[in-house]
mmCIF file of all heavy atoms in Angstrom:
data_model
loop_
_atom_site.group_PDB
_atom_site.id
_atom_site.type_symbol
_atom_site.label_atom_id
_atom_site.label_comp_id
_atom_site.label_asym_id
_atom_site.label_seq_id
_atom_site.Cartn_x
_atom_site.Cartn_y
_atom_site.Cartn_z
ATOM 1 N N LEU A 106 98.582 95.759 125.141
ATOM 2 C CA LEU A 106 97.737 96.977 124.745
ATOM 3 C C LEU A 106 96.476 96.844 125.132
ATOM 4 O O LEU A 106 95.713 97.692 125.608
ATOM 5 C CB LEU A 106 97.981 97.264 123.300
ATOM 6 C CG LEU A 106 97.295 98.660 122.922
ATOM 7 C CD1 LEU A 106 98.119 99.756 123.511
ATOM 8 C CD2 LEU A 106 97.389 98.738 121.329
ATOM 9 N N MET A 107 95.790 95.610 125.006
ATOM 10 C CA MET A 107 94.440 95.289 125.238
ATOM 11 C C MET A 107 94.393 93.738 125.588
ATOM 12 O O MET A 107 95.188 92.955 125.187
ATOM 13 C CB MET A 107 93.438 95.623 124.182
ATOM 14 C CG MET A 107 93.850 95.057 122.837
ATOM 15 S SD MET A 107 92.666 95.670 121.509
ATOM 16 C CE MET A 107 93.371 97.339 121.289
ATOM 17 N N PRO A 108 93.276 93.309 126.443
ATOM 18 C CA PRO A 108 93.177 91.858 126.670
ATOM 19 C C PRO A 108 92.752 90.992 125.475
ATOM 20 O O PRO A 108 92.389 91.612 124.344
ATOM 21 C CB PRO A 108 91.991 91.840 127.639
ATOM 22 C CG PRO A 108 91.282 93.174 127.314
ATOM 23 C CD PRO A 108 92.231 94.128 126.999
ATOM 24 N N PRO A 109 93.099 89.712 125.520
ATOM 25 C CA PRO A 109 93.044 88.852 124.144
ATOM 26 C C PRO A 109 91.607 88.965 123.517
ATOM 27 O O PRO A 109 91.482 88.921 122.277
ATOM 28 C CB PRO A 109 93.331 87.486 124.803
ATOM 29 C CG PRO A 109 94.201 87.722 126.005
ATOM 30 C CD PRO A 109 93.687 88.953 126.586
ATOM 31 N N ASN A 110 90.463 89.000 124.372
ATOM 32 C CA ASN A 110 89.269 89.094 123.806
ATOM 33 C C ASN A 110 88.993 90.298 123.035
ATOM 34 O O ASN A 110 88.392 90.358 121.938
ATOM 35 C CB ASN A 110 88.115 88.838 124.735
ATOM 36 C CG ASN A 110 88.225 90.033 125.931
ATOM 37 O OD1 ASN A 110 89.133 90.541 126.249
ATOM 38 N ND2 ASN A 110 87.006 90.426 126.425
ATOM 39 N N LYS A 111 89.598 91.439 123.449
ATOM 40 C CA LYS A 111 89.440 92.693 122.817
ATOM 41 C C LYS A 111 90.354 92.795 121.464
ATOM 42 O O LYS A 111 90.081 93.279 120.460
ATOM 43 C CB LYS A 111 89.736 93.899 123.730
ATOM 44 C CG LYS A 111 88.579 94.107 124.671
ATOM 45 C CD LYS A 111 88.769 95.384 125.414
ATOM 46 C CE LYS A 111 87.701 95.656 126.436
ATOM 47 N NZ LYS A 111 87.731 96.959 127.085
ATOM 48 N N GLN A 112 91.439 92.185 121.702
ATOM 49 C CA GLN A 112 92.416 91.970 120.543
ATOM 50 C C GLN A 112 91.698 91.229 119.438
ATOM 51 O O GLN A 112 91.694 91.613 118.255
ATOM 52 C CB GLN A 112 93.587 91.219 120.827
ATOM 53 C CG GLN A 112 94.606 92.012 121.794
ATOM 54 C CD GLN A 112 95.813 91.185 122.277
ATOM 55 O OE1 GLN A 112 95.800 89.925 122.251
ATOM 56 N NE2 GLN A 112 96.988 91.824 122.535
ATOM 57 N N GLN A 113 91.026 90.003 119.674
ATOM 58 C CA GLN A 113 90.461 89.346 118.692
ATOM 59 C C GLN A 113 89.171 89.987 118.143
ATOM 60 O O GLN A 113 88.933 89.861 116.875
ATOM 61 C CB GLN A 113 89.887 87.999 119.242
ATOM 62 C CG GLN A 113 91.055 87.009 119.553
ATOM 63 C CD GLN A 113 91.838 86.542 118.349
ATOM 64 O OE1 GLN A 113 91.294 86.591 117.242
ATOM 65 N NE2 GLN A 113 93.208 86.294 118.484
ATOM 66 N N SER A 114 88.435 90.735 118.822
ATOM 67 C CA SER A 114 87.331 91.554 118.405
ATOM 68 C C SER A 114 87.813 92.568 117.334
ATOM 69 O O SER A 114 87.326 92.760 116.301
ATOM 70 C CB SER A 114 86.607 92.262 119.589
ATOM 71 O OG SER A 114 85.928 91.256 120.308
ATOM 72 N N ARG A 115 88.903 93.426 117.712
ATOM 73 C CA ARG A 115 89.352 94.414 116.910
ATOM 74 C C ARG A 115 89.903 93.694 115.642
ATOM 75 O O ARG A 115 89.766 94.222 114.495
ATOM 76 C CB ARG A 115 90.554 95.154 117.597
ATOM 77 C CG ARG A 115 91.190 96.194 116.643
ATOM 78 C CD ARG A 115 92.236 97.014 117.257
ATOM 79 N NE ARG A 115 91.579 98.050 118.170
ATOM 80 C CZ ARG A 115 92.173 99.187 118.617
ATOM 81 N NH1 ARG A 115 93.342 99.347 118.152
ATOM 82 N NH2 ARG A 115 91.545 100.083 119.421
ATOM 83 N N ARG A 116 90.729 92.610 115.683
ATOM 84 C CA ARG A 116 91.224 91.949 114.533
ATOM 85 C C ARG A 116 90.168 91.556 113.618
ATOM 86 O O ARG A 116 90.205 91.691 112.406
ATOM 87 C CB ARG A 116 92.015 90.719 115.031
ATOM 88 C CG ARG A 116 93.420 90.993 115.603
ATOM 89 C CD ARG A 116 93.941 89.848 116.271
ATOM 90 N NE ARG A 116 95.447 89.863 116.182
ATOM 91 C CZ ARG A 116 96.090 89.015 115.386
ATOM 92 N NH1 ARG A 116 95.477 88.257 114.578
ATOM 93 N NH2 ARG A 116 97.536 89.209 115.310
ATOM 94 N N ALA A 117 89.050 90.929 114.085
ATOM 95 C CA ALA A 117 88.057 90.577 113.342
ATOM 96 C C ALA A 117 87.301 91.687 112.592
ATOM 97 O O ALA A 117 87.038 91.625 111.397
ATOM 98 C CB ALA A 117 86.895 89.851 114.130
ATOM 99 N N LEU A 118 87.114 92.813 113.197
ATOM 100 C CA LEU A 118 86.512 93.964 112.650
ATOM 101 C C LEU A 118 87.486 94.495 111.572
ATOM 102 O O LEU A 118 86.908 95.039 110.489
ATOM 103 C CB LEU A 118 86.265 95.032 113.675
ATOM 104 C CG LEU A 118 85.109 94.690 114.622
ATOM 105 C CD1 LEU A 118 85.063 95.813 115.700
ATOM 106 C CD2 LEU A 118 83.704 94.652 113.849
ATOM 107 N N GLU A 119 88.804 94.448 111.764
ATOM 108 C CA GLU A 119 89.641 94.964 110.758
ATOM 109 C C GLU A 119 89.578 94.071 109.511
ATOM 110 O O GLU A 119 89.789 94.460 108.418
ATOM 111 C CB GLU A 119 91.152 94.965 111.402
ATOM 112 C CG GLU A 119 91.247 96.092 112.313
ATOM 113 C CD GLU A 119 92.601 96.132 112.920
ATOM 114 O OE1 GLU A 119 93.385 95.246 113.013
ATOM 115 O OE2 GLU A 119 93.003 97.279 113.525
ATOM 116 N N LEU A 120 89.566 92.842 109.734
ATOM 117 C CA LEU A 120 89.409 91.825 108.454
ATOM 118 C C LEU A 120 88.029 92.107 107.600
ATOM 119 O O LEU A 120 88.106 92.164 106.574
ATOM 120 C CB LEU A 120 89.365 90.394 109.085
ATOM 121 C CG LEU A 120 90.651 89.816 109.647
ATOM 122 C CD1 LEU A 120 90.351 88.385 110.314
ATOM 123 C CD2 LEU A 120 91.767 89.629 108.565
ATOM 124 N N LEU A 121 87.016 92.396 108.451
ATOM 125 C CA LEU A 121 85.702 92.605 107.849
ATOM 126 C C LEU A 121 85.792 94.022 106.984
ATOM 127 O O LEU A 121 85.337 94.144 105.924
ATOM 128 C CB LEU A 121 84.581 92.696 108.805
ATOM 129 C CG LEU A 121 84.291 91.405 109.402
ATOM 130 C CD1 LEU A 121 83.450 91.462 110.628
ATOM 131 C CD2 LEU A 121 83.603 90.460 108.416
ATOM 132 N N SER A 122 86.519 94.918 107.675
ATOM 133 C CA SER A 122 86.603 96.237 107.071
ATOM 134 C C SER A 122 87.458 96.263 105.749
ATOM 135 O O SER A 122 87.236 96.989 104.807
ATOM 136 C CB SER A 122 87.160 97.351 108.100
ATOM 137 O OG SER A 122 86.361 97.505 109.151
ATOM 138 N N ALA A 123 88.471 95.399 105.704
ATOM 139 C CA ALA A 123 89.280 95.245 104.595
ATOM 140 C C ALA A 123 88.559 94.924 103.318
ATOM 141 O O ALA A 123 88.941 95.395 102.292
ATOM 142 C CB ALA A 123 90.433 94.290 104.887
ATOM 143 N N VAL A 124 87.496 94.131 103.498
ATOM 144 C CA VAL A 124 86.799 93.823 102.264
ATOM 145 C C VAL A 124 86.174 95.018 101.599
ATOM 146 O O VAL A 124 86.105 95.075 100.423
ATOM 147 C CB VAL A 124 85.661 92.710 102.646
ATOM 148 C CG1 VAL A 124 84.883 92.274 101.462
ATOM 149 C CG2 VAL A 124 86.298 91.486 103.246
ATOM 150 N N ARG A 125 85.772 95.847 102.421
ATOM 151 C CA ARG A 125 85.175 97.219 101.861
ATOM 152 C C ARG A 125 86.109 98.224 101.503
ATOM 153 O O ARG A 125 85.790 99.232 101.004
ATOM 154 C CB ARG A 125 84.084 97.716 103.024
ATOM 155 C CG ARG A 125 83.115 96.721 103.456
ATOM 156 C CD ARG A 125 82.027 97.387 104.371
ATOM 157 N NE ARG A 125 82.683 97.893 105.613
ATOM 158 C CZ ARG A 125 82.627 97.207 106.710
ATOM 159 N NH1 ARG A 125 82.168 95.951 106.715
ATOM 160 N NH2 ARG A 125 83.274 97.766 107.837
ATOM 161 N N ALA A 126 87.453 97.953 101.786
ATOM 162 C CA ALA A 126 88.475 99.004 101.594
ATOM 163 C C ALA A 126 89.346 98.695 100.402
ATOM 164 O O ALA A 126 90.327 99.369 100.219
ATOM 165 C CB ALA A 126 89.251 99.150 102.771
ATOM 166 N N LEU A 127 88.859 97.664 99.513
ATOM 167 C CA LEU A 127 89.715 97.364 98.409
ATOM 168 C C LEU A 127 89.819 98.717 97.417
ATOM 169 O O LEU A 127 88.740 99.372 97.232
ATOM 170 C CB LEU A 127 89.114 96.282 97.596
ATOM 171 C CG LEU A 127 89.113 94.865 98.209
ATOM 172 C CD1 LEU A 127 88.290 93.988 97.363
ATOM 173 C CD2 LEU A 127 90.610 94.458 98.346
ATOM 174 N N PRO A 128 91.050 98.803 96.930
ATOM 175 C CA PRO A 128 91.112 99.892 95.957
ATOM 176 C C PRO A 128 90.095 99.676 94.641
ATOM 177 O O PRO A 128 89.890 98.464 94.478
ATOM 178 C CB PRO A 128 92.622 99.884 95.558
ATOM 179 C CG PRO A 128 93.101 98.718 95.812
ATOM 180 C CD PRO A 128 92.225 98.211 97.140
ATOM 181 N N ARG A 129 89.795 100.658 93.927
ATOM 182 C CA ARG A 129 88.681 100.562 92.954
ATOM 183 C C ARG A 129 89.188 99.464 91.913
ATOM 184 O O ARG A 129 88.174 98.675 91.473
ATOM 185 C CB ARG A 129 88.460 101.965 92.258
ATOM 186 C CG ARG A 129 87.385 101.847 91.341
ATOM 187 C CD ARG A 129 86.992 103.154 90.721
ATOM 188 N NE ARG A 129 85.974 103.075 89.841
ATOM 189 C CZ ARG A 129 85.503 104.294 89.140
ATOM 190 N NH1 ARG A 129 85.914 105.332 89.402
ATOM 191 N NH2 ARG A 129 84.418 103.900 88.203
ATOM 192 N N GLU A 130 90.354 99.518 91.525
ATOM 193 C CA GLU A 130 90.751 98.488 90.418
ATOM 194 C C GLU A 130 90.586 97.141 90.804
ATOM 195 O O GLU A 130 90.473 96.259 89.971
ATOM 196 C CB GLU A 130 92.118 98.763 89.876
ATOM 197 C CG GLU A 130 93.247 98.562 90.921
ATOM 198 C CD GLU A 130 93.509 99.862 91.799
ATOM 199 O OE1 GLU A 130 92.667 100.813 91.834
ATOM 200 O OE2 GLU A 130 94.743 100.071 92.305
ATOM 201 N N LEU A 131 90.672 96.861 92.203
ATOM 202 C CA LEU A 131 90.524 95.555 92.668
ATOM 203 C C LEU A 131 88.885 95.298 92.897
ATOM 204 O O LEU A 131 88.407 94.143 92.784
ATOM 205 C CB LEU A 131 91.343 95.168 93.874
ATOM 206 C CG LEU A 131 92.846 95.020 93.564
ATOM 207 C CD1 LEU A 131 93.560 94.801 94.839
ATOM 208 C CD2 LEU A 131 93.110 94.028 92.590
ATOM 209 N N ALA A 132 88.320 96.201 93.540
ATOM 210 C CA ALA A 132 86.943 96.167 93.862
ATOM 211 C C ALA A 132 85.981 95.937 92.706
ATOM 212 O O ALA A 132 85.004 95.256 92.698
ATOM 213 C CB ALA A 132 86.543 97.480 94.576
ATOM 214 N N ASP A 133 86.490 96.382 91.524
ATOM 215 C CA ASP A 133 85.669 96.094 90.284
ATOM 216 C C ASP A 133 85.769 94.739 89.788
ATOM 217 O O ASP A 133 84.773 94.308 89.016
ATOM 218 C CB ASP A 133 86.244 97.203 89.238
ATOM 219 C CG ASP A 133 85.842 98.604 89.550
ATOM 220 O OD1 ASP A 133 84.945 98.837 90.314
ATOM 221 O OD2 ASP A 133 86.422 99.498 88.903
ATOM 222 N N VAL A 134 86.718 94.042 90.267
ATOM 223 C CA VAL A 134 86.823 92.594 89.746
ATOM 224 C C VAL A 134 86.684 91.680 90.922
ATOM 225 O O VAL A 134 86.742 90.373 90.768
ATOM 226 C CB VAL A 134 88.125 92.348 89.104
ATOM 227 C CG1 VAL A 134 88.240 93.160 87.771
ATOM 228 C CG2 VAL A 134 89.401 92.620 89.969
ATOM 229 N N ALA A 135 86.525 92.125 92.179
ATOM 230 C CA ALA A 135 86.316 91.215 93.312
ATOM 231 C C ALA A 135 84.964 90.535 93.380
ATOM 232 O O ALA A 135 84.003 91.262 93.063
ATOM 233 C CB ALA A 135 86.465 91.961 94.561
ATOM 234 N N ASP A 136 84.957 89.276 93.625
ATOM 235 C CA ASP A 136 83.591 88.513 93.727
ATOM 236 C C ASP A 136 83.162 88.616 95.157
ATOM 237 O O ASP A 136 83.686 87.911 96.069
ATOM 238 C CB ASP A 136 83.879 87.043 93.247
ATOM 239 C CG ASP A 136 82.607 86.317 93.178
ATOM 240 O OD1 ASP A 136 81.541 86.796 93.745
ATOM 241 O OD2 ASP A 136 82.651 85.102 92.591
ATOM 242 N N GLU A 137 82.078 89.357 95.370
ATOM 243 C CA GLU A 137 81.675 89.569 96.710
ATOM 244 C C GLU A 137 81.108 88.262 97.356
ATOM 245 O O GLU A 137 80.860 88.185 98.503
ATOM 246 C CB GLU A 137 80.711 90.826 96.789
ATOM 247 C CG GLU A 137 81.205 92.175 96.376
ATOM 248 C CD GLU A 137 80.238 93.184 96.491
ATOM 249 O OE1 GLU A 137 79.045 92.844 96.739
ATOM 250 O OE2 GLU A 137 80.519 94.355 96.359
ATOM 251 N N ASP A 138 80.723 87.406 96.544
ATOM 252 C CA ASP A 138 80.181 86.119 97.008
ATOM 253 C C ASP A 138 81.196 85.084 97.041
ATOM 254 O O ASP A 138 80.910 83.908 97.349
ATOM 255 C CB ASP A 138 79.078 85.583 95.923
ATOM 256 C CG ASP A 138 77.891 86.521 95.908
ATOM 257 O OD1 ASP A 138 77.502 86.961 96.967
ATOM 258 O OD2 ASP A 138 77.315 86.676 94.777
ATOM 259 N N ALA A 139 82.527 85.374 96.926
ATOM 260 C CA ALA A 139 83.574 84.512 97.090
ATOM 261 C C ALA A 139 84.706 85.048 98.019
ATOM 262 O O ALA A 139 85.808 85.232 97.694
ATOM 263 C CB ALA A 139 84.101 84.146 95.858
ATOM 264 N N VAL A 140 84.245 85.432 99.242
ATOM 265 C CA VAL A 140 85.237 85.934 100.172
ATOM 266 C C VAL A 140 85.573 84.923 101.232
ATOM 267 O O VAL A 140 84.722 84.230 101.777
ATOM 268 C CB VAL A 140 84.579 87.184 100.912
ATOM 269 C CG1 VAL A 140 85.472 87.648 101.977
ATOM 270 C CG2 VAL A 140 84.261 88.272 99.952
ATOM 271 N N PHE A 141 86.911 84.759 101.320
ATOM 272 C CA PHE A 141 87.433 83.859 102.289
ATOM 273 C C PHE A 141 88.159 84.635 103.466
ATOM 274 O O PHE A 141 88.839 85.593 103.150
ATOM 275 C CB PHE A 141 88.495 82.903 101.592
ATOM 276 C CG PHE A 141 87.889 81.899 100.671
ATOM 277 C CD1 PHE A 141 87.633 82.437 99.295
ATOM 278 C CD2 PHE A 141 87.580 80.606 100.937
ATOM 279 C CE1 PHE A 141 87.118 81.541 98.370
ATOM 280 C CE2 PHE A 141 87.028 79.749 99.906
ATOM 281 C CZ PHE A 141 86.732 80.287 98.666
ATOM 282 N N PHE A 142 88.211 84.123 104.622
ATOM 283 C CA PHE A 142 89.016 84.668 105.643
ATOM 284 C C PHE A 142 90.053 83.616 106.001
ATOM 285 O O PHE A 142 89.736 82.360 106.087
ATOM 286 C CB PHE A 142 88.212 84.957 106.954
ATOM 287 C CG PHE A 142 87.215 86.140 106.556
ATOM 288 C CD1 PHE A 142 85.762 85.912 106.454
ATOM 289 C CD2 PHE A 142 87.670 87.445 106.571
ATOM 290 C CE1 PHE A 142 85.007 86.980 106.261
ATOM 291 C CE2 PHE A 142 86.744 88.504 106.274
ATOM 292 C CZ PHE A 142 85.472 88.231 106.193
ATOM 293 N N GLY A 143 91.273 84.130 106.371
ATOM 294 C CA GLY A 143 92.328 83.116 106.759
ATOM 295 C C GLY A 143 93.300 83.691 107.744
ATOM 296 O O GLY A 143 93.212 84.874 108.014
ATOM 297 N N GLY A 144 94.030 82.824 108.314
ATOM 298 C CA GLY A 144 94.890 83.380 109.349
ATOM 299 C C GLY A 144 95.884 82.266 109.857
ATOM 300 O O GLY A 144 95.716 81.044 109.815
#
Side-chain angles (χ1 to χ4, degrees):
L106 186 65
M107 57 185 69
N110 62 326
K111 290 189 176 181
Q112 286 176 337
Q113 290 297 329
S114 295
R115 175 175 289 196
R116 283 166 148 261
L118 289 175
E119 289 175 340
L120 291 172
L121 293 166
S122 297
V124 181
R125 302 189 297 269
L127 289 174
R129 182 174 180 179
E130 62 270 21
L131 293 179
D133 288 345
V134 296
D136 187 345
E137 295 181 356
D138 294 321
V140 174
F141 296 80
F142 294 104

